[in-house]
Amino acid sequence: MTDSVSGTAGAPITDDAPATEAGGRRSVPFRGGGFAPKPVWYVAPLMFVALVLLWEFGSSNGYISPLVLPAPTEVLGAFSDLVRSGMLAKHLQASLTRLVIGFACGATLGVLVGVAIGLYSIPRSAFKPLVAAIFPIPKIALLPLFIIWFGIGEGSKVATILFGSFFPMVIATYGGIDAVDRNLIRMGQSFNLSRVAIVRNIILPSALPAILNGMRIAASISIILLVAAEMIGAEYGIGAYVLLAGNLMATDQLIAGVATLSILGLIVSWLISLAERYFLRWRA
Amino acid sequence: MDLEIRNLSHHYDKLEVLRDINITIPSGQVVCVVGPSGCGKSTLIRLIGGLEQPAEGEINQIGEPPQGSLNPLTYIFQDFALLPWRTVEGNISLVLEGHPISREEVASRIANVLDRTRLSDFAHVYPKQLSGGMKQRVAIARALAVNPAVLLMDEPLSALDSQTRELLMDDLVSLWERERFTACYITHNLNEAVRLGHRVVVLSRRPGEIRETVDIDIPLSERKVDSPELARTQTKLWEMMREEALTADRQLADA
């Protein structure tokens, strides 16, 4: 029977079609898979090292002019000068103080206003459009106003960071509350839980992933604004250091400062990941 | 405690959902409400437990709930409604926390209901780690923890596969044999209705009206899967519902 089928088809089975067996039996070709990129842990450090090596090679062989970009070794030199002179600690202390106070206040206020918008009609109607109107304003543009309002000292710098982190936190918080599963709230009501208990035990834990996500964005914005704020009237601070280096065309110091900021950002992001892993362990 | 639903009608804006419903749920009995999808079954059970207010008619509790009942009208939901960030134990303690009972009593109530639903080994497990059937067992344990007078079950087995559904139906039957709980059981599954209901109320398509009330006299424990008598009742119910379901299927959701 199978012989007659291949016979009548008249197509001689040749060596060109190895998947074809006698009787027309072929394995089904695989066509699924893909579209699922996975992180490969060693690629990122390898990429980083390769870039720095390439950069060093270019600098030491004259392909990259030291005016355009200082060699990595020079940047490292500037950085170790910064550490040895004890200035890194001083700059970091000034910057971190502003960052922590501004971000902590901004995030706390943001969560409070976000919860109010998420839970009550009047605050929702009052603040939601206001937040939408003020959020897109670059806070750097308001810095001169902040200086008039809060003084040229720490006040204006902290206020810039506070405003910068406040708005994304508000939006993330009420967004998280809006997305709470209605049926869980109904369950709470069906068991006669008090309003406070429903907010504390159902609504806030539900919104927590969104709030932590908002913190990630707010923290990055805070670091960006930190430098902007320190560019006016700051003696110490990573931003002040970067600005001074820029004015003096000391590009090695400039890059050392910028790298410090990048590391700061990575550390903050890592801390938030830790918080997520702890608070959202039920998701794992 | 009995529940009595009298002349109940309900509408959302201009959409009439329920029309003139009269049901009595006597103490110690399971009343199943069946009907085609969209006939207002879920609205009915939300009204019965006070999660929504009826447009017309009344829902009355007759008699006192049992001593120590923390929440006389207690729901079991189709989607289980468990908090994913709380363990099995935590989900049960949630509904006990607001009440003026001692920590020891909370612990003993939890241990007691976990034992009754054979969940004791899973007390510290998160819902995510449990199968659908186990999740619904946790929800049943949570409902029992408040010592309810009437269980309001909103399609409790509809989110489960058919094997798990069979197992949980057996569980519910043996639970009823032991505790003789009172329940209003909403379902679209006629097999569940004839296996679990002492009385089956058939609703028409929207607006839901009572088409028929069927009493089934066979004791729950004697209702076998292949019993010809149950099969006959189920066929009878299906004949009643077939046309309603056919028309309901063609009904627009927002018409």
Side-chain angles (χ1 to χ4, degrees):
Chain A
M1 181 62 195
T2 47
D3 280 349
S4 76
V5 168
S6 60
T8 49
I13 296 162
T14 59
D15 291 341
D16 303 7
T20 311
E21 282 179 38
R25 180 192 296 171
R26 275 155 295 142
S27 72
V28 173
F30 175 65
R31 47 194 171 158
F35 301 106
K38 285 192 209 94
V40 185
W41 65 270
Y42 55 83
V43 172
L46 222 63
M47 171 82 189
F48 180 76
V49 169
L51 259 180
V52 172
L53 282 179
L54 195 72
W55 175 11
E56 180 66 39
F57 176 80
S59 295
S60 57
N61 286 284
Y63 295 116
I64 304 171
S65 153
L67 273 177
V68 177
L69 198 64
T73 40
E74 280 178 54
V75 173
L76 204 67
F79 189 76
S80 65
D81 278 347
L82 197 59
V83 177
R84 256 183 287 126
S85 62
M87 289 306 280
L88 181 73
K90 231 170 192 166
H91 289 309
L92 267 182
Q93 197 208 347
S95 285
L96 283 178
T97 311
R98 290 166 194 144
L99 194 66
V100 169
I101 296 176
F103 177 71
C105 296
T108 312
L109 286 173
V111 169
L112 288 177
V113 173
V115 168
I117 291 179
L119 292 181
Y120 305 104
S121 302
I122 298 294
R124 187 182 198 84
S125 319
F127 290 124
K128 211 176 150 184
L130 200 65
V131 167
I134 303 177
F135 182 42
I137 299 177
K139 306 303 170 294
I140 304 167
L142 297 178
L143 190 58
L145 274 182
F146 288 159
I147 290 171
I148 298 170
W149 295 345
F150 305 108
I152 194 142
E154 294 302 303
S156 58
K157 297 173 185 64
V158 169
T160 313
I161 297 167
L162 190 154
F163 275 88
S165 48
F166 172 77
F167 291 99
M169 286 311 287
V170 173
I171 291 171
T173 305
Y174 80 69
I177 293 180
D178 288 354
V180 174
D181 183 356
R182 299 300 306 177
N183 219 32
L184 288 182
I185 296 175
R186 200 173 285 147
M187 180 275 291
Q189 291 174 326
S190 84
F191 279 98
N192 260 343
L193 299 194
S194 67
R195 214 185 143 79
V196 177
I198 290 177
V199 171
R200 212 189 60 189
N201 294 317
I202 298 176
I203 292 178
L204 289 183
S206 274
L208 194 58
I211 293 174
L212 285 173
N213 223 350
M215 275 177 93
R216 207 178 268 285
I217 296 165
S220 303
I221 292 179
S222 295
I223 293 174
I224 294 170
L225 288 177
L226 169 76
V227 176
E230 284 178 345
M231 287 188 169
I232 295 175
E235 192 180 353
Y236 295 112
I238 304 291
Y241 173 76
V242 169
L243 184 77
L244 186 68
N247 288 344
L248 298 174
M249 280 297 161
T251 45
D252 53 343
Q253 292 181 11
L254 182 118
I255 290 176
V258 169
T260 311
L261 287 171
S262 164
I263 293 167
L264 189 65
L266 284 175
I267 291 173
V268 169
S269 153
W270 174 72
L271 285 177
I272 292 173
S273 296
L274 279 190
E276 276 177 343
R277 215 174 304 160
Y278 177 74
F279 288 112
L280 309 180
R281 58 190 180 281
W282 51 271
R283 284 207 303 199
Chain B
M1 191 181 91
D2 298 356
L3 265 187
E4 179 199 54
I5 301 151
R6 281 180 59 188
N7 309 326
L8 182 78
S9 297
H10 195 64
H11 52 79
Y12 293 117
D13 295 324
K14 283 193 182 120
L15 180 68
E16 194 179 6
V17 207
L18 291 168
R19 184 187 288 168
D20 199 25
I21 305 284
N22 287 285
I23 303 175
T24 308
I25 304 168
S27 186
Q29 294 222 344
V30 179
V31 174
C32 288
V33 178
V34 296
S37 60
C39 73
K41 300 188 296 281
S42 293
T43 306
L44 177 63
I45 201 155
R46 282 206 291 270
L47 290 166
I48 295 176
L51 289 179
E52 277 182 50
Q53 281 186 309
E56 278 162 61
E58 49 194 59
I59 296 147
N60 298 317
Q61 312 179 28
I62 302 167
E64 287 304 309
Q67 274 269 302
S69 174
L70 300 176
N71 191 45
L73 302 177
T74 299
Y75 280 89
I76 292 172
F77 297 94
Q78 180 177 357
D79 64 353
F80 325 127
L82 299 174
L83 300 184
W85 50 88
R86 284 193 176 220
T87 60
V88 166
E89 198 181 55
N91 265 289
I92 300 171
S93 78
L94 172 82
V95 301
L96 300 171
E97 276 162 15
H99 297 282
I101 48 178
S102 68
R103 201 172 290 181
E104 291 77 37
E105 163 137 31
V106 168
S108 80
R109 273 187 188 238
I110 293 174
N112 176 276
V113 292
L114 287 179
D115 185 46
R116 277 150 76 193
T117 46
R118 300 196 306 276
L119 283 167
S120 301
D121 293 342
F122 300 92
H124 304 292
V125 161
Y126 285 101
K128 198 186 152 100
Q129 297 165 268
L130 295 171
S131 68
M134 292 298 276
K135 283 182 196 161
Q136 196 56 293
R137 282 197 182 90
V138 175
I140 293 169
R142 176 178 64 187
L144 295 176
V146 294
N147 202 1
V150 180
L151 283 175
L152 302 172
M153 306 195 192
D154 185 8
E155 305 233 13
L157 307 184
S158 297
L160 306 175
D161 61 76
S162 56
Q163 290 92 338
T164 316
R165 196 179 301 171
E166 280 300 326
L167 293 177
L168 257 126
M169 251 192 273
D170 290 344
D171 277 13
L172 285 174
V173 169
S174 60
L175 190 69
W176 187 85
E177 287 296 332
R178 274 182 282 134
E179 326 227 339
R180 306 270 158 167
F181 59 81
T182 314
C184 177
Y185 188 109
I186 300 275
T187 182
H188 64 263
N189 184 314
L190 297 177
N191 185 247
E192 286 172 32
V194 297
R195 292 276 299 284
L196 296 170
H198 296 97
R199 172 177 293 173
V200 181
V201 176
V202 183
L203 287 188
S204 70
R205 64 176 183 272
R206 195 182 62 224
E209 281 180 285
I210 295 182
R211 264 209 64 173
E212 189 88 55
T213 302
V214 178
D215 286 310
I216 306 176
D217 295 327
I218 315 167
L220 291 193
S221 56
E222 288 167 26
R223 300 186 188 179
K224 295 287 171 284
V225 187
D226 50 0
S227 147
E229 212 180 326
L230 284 189
R232 264 199 303 281
T233 317
Q234 195 177 327
T235 311
K236 197 172 106 192
L237 288 171
W238 172 233
E239 275 158 12
M240 269 182 243
M241 258 180 72
R242 199 187 133 80
E243 208 148 306
E244 300 288 346
L246 204 64
T247 321
D249 197 36
R250 304 177 64 88
Q251 221 163 17
L252 292 176
D254 53 358

